[in-house]
Amino acid sequence: MWTHMAAIAALAFVPCAYAQGTPPAIPVQHSAERPVPGAIAPALTLDDAIARVARQHPDLRLVDAQRSALEARRDAATLRPPLTFGVELENALGTGAARGFDAAELTVSLGGVLERGGKLDARRTLAQANLDALAPQREIARLDLMAEVARRYLAVTQAVQQLEIARTDIEQRRRAVAAARLRLQAGASPESVLLTAQAQLAQAELDRDRALQMALSAKVALAALWQQREPDFDIVSGNPLQLPALQDLSVLTDLLQGTPELAVLAGEGRIRDAQLQLARTQARPDFNWQVGVRNSRDSRDTSLVAGFSLPLGSVRRAEPEVRAAEAERALNGIERQARELQLYATLAEAHGRYQTARLEVTRLARDVLPQLQRAEKAAETAWRAGAVSYMEWAQLQALRIEARQRQLDAAMAAQTGLIELQRLTGQSLLASDVTPPSSVAMSTEDRP
């Protein structure tokens, strides 16, 4: 099961890589203010990022390193109690007839323990259960790591989108500055209008530089996951505004039964079953046996000696351990119920967040942004003709940028929810009726 889960896990995290179109390029930066034209590094896809992390990150190797220790403990658990070789000297170095070694008796013996109650099998089962529990633990580490890769990758794509919004704002503010300068020269508007337009242009340029710095920081954080100090990529592919349709919540709820987090609890349940069985075997006492040969120096005779011992009160001593093991086994069932409830609550919250944010992104693209773009163009024409004030035009420009920012924020919330859903289930959750890009209608200028 876990081999299959690992095979599909790399395909599960698709929020940024769903539309692998060519995004706006971020030039290689020597500073946030002076881009180097034409210096473009290769694009990095989400699959590439995941592959790099899978090869380099120590969290996955940490779980694998634990296997060697557990395998050694399993091998130790399969060993039977050791034989004991003993030598015993009697009636030596005494007084009278026992003076010196004249009456000494030397006994050479071999002893051991005869285990009863299936203790060997119980130890083997416990050791194997601990070893088997590593598989879901490793899968949890893998899914957590992939989710972190997807989140950091998403941060880079967010910075790319922020840069595009800032560039749109700069373009429209530059038109306003040019128009204000012409009207000032014609005596149709005061200098304060030009100064206001220039200040708003400077703010838009500041937003652009901030987006460039955000992109650089996000790329450094992403590359750090595969232990790289200087990113060797400059742009990423994918569009966070592309939000596919998801399967129904009822379908996702059924997928939770296969999540590795519940598998970990199932593995702990098997461990506690094995601990309970091992505790019960302690109620059956073990035989300690011994057999040997005794030689009397005085009579020169040799004889066979043998014996055994059996501890008493084993049932009473084992009873507290059995009760403790039974209580821990019952506790595992309660923990599973609590974890199932917590997972469902998280799943429902993430699913609802995604659906709400997806609706907002779609409606903004279809009903709000095109109208704001047309209104801004109309206001520009009207202002150039002297029909409206500059503040009305500037307000429409700001509303257009605010709407695009709101759309991006909603897309980020949706993508974050999708990452959490895929981390919980370990599977790709796309419905067959994926929303095509054309359904998210945007104008040519407003399309990211």
Side-chain angles (χ1 to χ4, degrees):
M1 173 183 178
W2 296 114
T3 303
H4 174 67
M5 181 75 82
I8 67 173
L11 302 177
F13 291 93
V14 296
C16 301
Y18 174 66
Q20 293 291 344
T22 301
I26 302 177
V28 176
Q29 298 292 315
H30 294 285
S31 70
E33 300 176 351
R34 296 184 179 273
V36 179
I40 303 299
L44 178 76
T45 67
L46 181 57
D47 288 341
D48 293 338
I50 288 177
R52 293 187 183 191
V53 173
R55 290 192 300 266
Q56 299 289 338
H57 206 280
D59 280 359
L60 298 180
R61 299 201 305 270
L62 181 63
V63 178
D64 293 335
Q66 295 174 351
R67 177 173 295 276
S68 298
L70 291 177
E71 287 176 345
R73 291 191 178 95
R74 180 195 59 187
D75 294 342
T78 60
L79 299 177
R80 296 181 181 277
L83 297 176
T84 303
F85 175 77
V87 177
E88 184 177 355
L89 180 65
E90 299 181 19
N91 299 329
L93 301 177
T95 59
R99 184 179 60 185
F101 294 94
D102 293 339
E105 295 182 349
L106 182 66
T107 304
V108 179
S109 63
L110 185 66
V113 177
L114 179 60
E115 289 186 314
R116 304 172 64 220
K119 293 183 177 65
L120 177 60
D121 290 338
R123 287 198 306 272
R124 287 173 177 168
T125 303
L126 178 58
Q128 187 61 47
N130 280 302
L131 190 59
D132 294 340
L134 277 183
Q137 290 175 11
R138 190 183 194 281
E139 194 58 28
I140 287 179
R142 180 192 297 273
L143 292 176
D144 287 345
L145 191 56
M146 288 182 179
E148 183 61 24
V149 175
R151 282 189 287 265
R152 297 194 188 188
Y153 189 94
L154 183 61
V156 180
T157 63
Q158 180 182 11
V160 172
Q161 295 296 319
Q162 291 282 177
L163 181 59
E164 281 304 295
I165 293 174
R167 285 172 174 168
T168 299
D169 198 17
I170 288 173
E171 186 275 334
Q172 66 183 13
R173 298 299 181 182
R174 282 175 177 169
R175 296 200 319 267
V177 169
R181 182 175 289 111
L182 289 176
R183 286 179 62 86
L184 175 63
Q185 293 172 353
S189 64
E191 185 181 8
S192 60
V193 172
L194 175 60
L195 295 175
T196 301
Q198 289 173 338
Q200 290 172 334
L201 173 59
Q203 290 179 346
E205 291 172 343
L206 174 60
D207 291 339
R208 176 202 58 196
D209 293 342
R210 186 166 64 91
L212 286 170
Q213 185 59 49
M214 287 174 53
L216 177 60
S217 300
K219 287 186 294 182
V220 171
L222 177 60
L225 287 177
W226 55 81
Q227 304 182 44
Q228 189 176 53
R229 299 298 177 87
E230 294 293 334
D232 59 356
F233 62 94
D234 196 62
I235 57 176
V236 293
S237 61
N239 186 353
L241 298 180
Q242 298 284 347
L243 299 175
L246 292 187
Q247 298 176 2
D248 293 336
L249 181 59
S250 59
V251 176
L252 303 187
T253 303
D254 295 336
L255 293 177
L256 275 183
Q257 298 305 313
T259 183
E261 296 193 36
L262 293 182
V264 167
L265 291 177
E268 291 179 358
R270 288 188 289 271
I271 290 174
R272 292 176 182 180
D273 283 339
Q275 290 173 337
L276 175 59
Q277 182 59 33
L278 183 60
R280 286 172 175 169
T281 63
Q282 302 304 316
R284 295 286 301 275
D286 299 332
F287 279 107
N288 294 285
W289 57 269
Q290 183 177 349
V291 62
V293 176
R294 175 175 295 169
N295 177 265
S296 175
R297 185 176 178 83
D298 184 20
S299 62
R300 306 293 183 180
D301 294 332
T302 299
S303 59
L304 177 69
V305 295
F308 74 92
S309 62
L310 186 68
L312 303 177
S314 298
V315 175
R316 179 171 56 83
R317 287 193 302 272
E319 193 269 338
E321 290 296 329
V322 172
R323 284 192 290 112
E326 289 174 343
E328 290 179 354
R329 183 65 184 90
L331 181 62
N332 178 258
I334 299 175
E335 290 174 345
R336 181 181 177 88
Q337 293 177 0
R339 188 57 181 155
E340 285 179 344
L341 182 61
Q342 182 183 11
L343 288 174
Y344 176 76
T346 304
L347 184 78
E349 189 274 334
H351 188 273
R353 187 194 334 154
Y354 181 87
Q355 298 289 57
T356 303
R358 180 172 180 264
L359 173 65
E360 185 174 2
V361 170
T362 304
R363 293 292 298 273
L364 282 168
R366 186 184 65 199
D367 302 332
V368 178
L369 285 171
Q371 284 80 351
L372 284 176
Q373 182 185 3
R374 289 194 292 268
E376 189 269 333
K377 293 291 186 182
E380 178 182 2
T381 302
W383 185 71
R384 291 178 184 272
V388 298
S389 68
Y390 170 75
M391 295 308 298
E392 291 179 272
W393 182 21
Q395 184 179 15
L396 283 170
Q397 288 178 330
L399 286 175
R400 181 184 174 195
I401 296 303
E402 289 175 4
R404 288 195 61 178
Q405 184 62 54
R406 178 180 175 181
Q407 183 190 41
L408 179 59
D409 292 342
M412 292 302 105
Q415 299 288 7
T416 302
L418 181 58
I419 290 172
E420 181 64 17
L421 288 171
Q422 293 173 335
R423 186 193 68 83
L424 289 173
T425 61
Q427 299 187 38
S428 177
L429 308 175
L430 307 186
S432 57
D433 55 338
V434 173
T435 303
S438 59
S439 68
V440 185
M442 304 177 71
S443 67
T444 303
E445 188 172 355
D446 275 334
R447 185 176 297 117

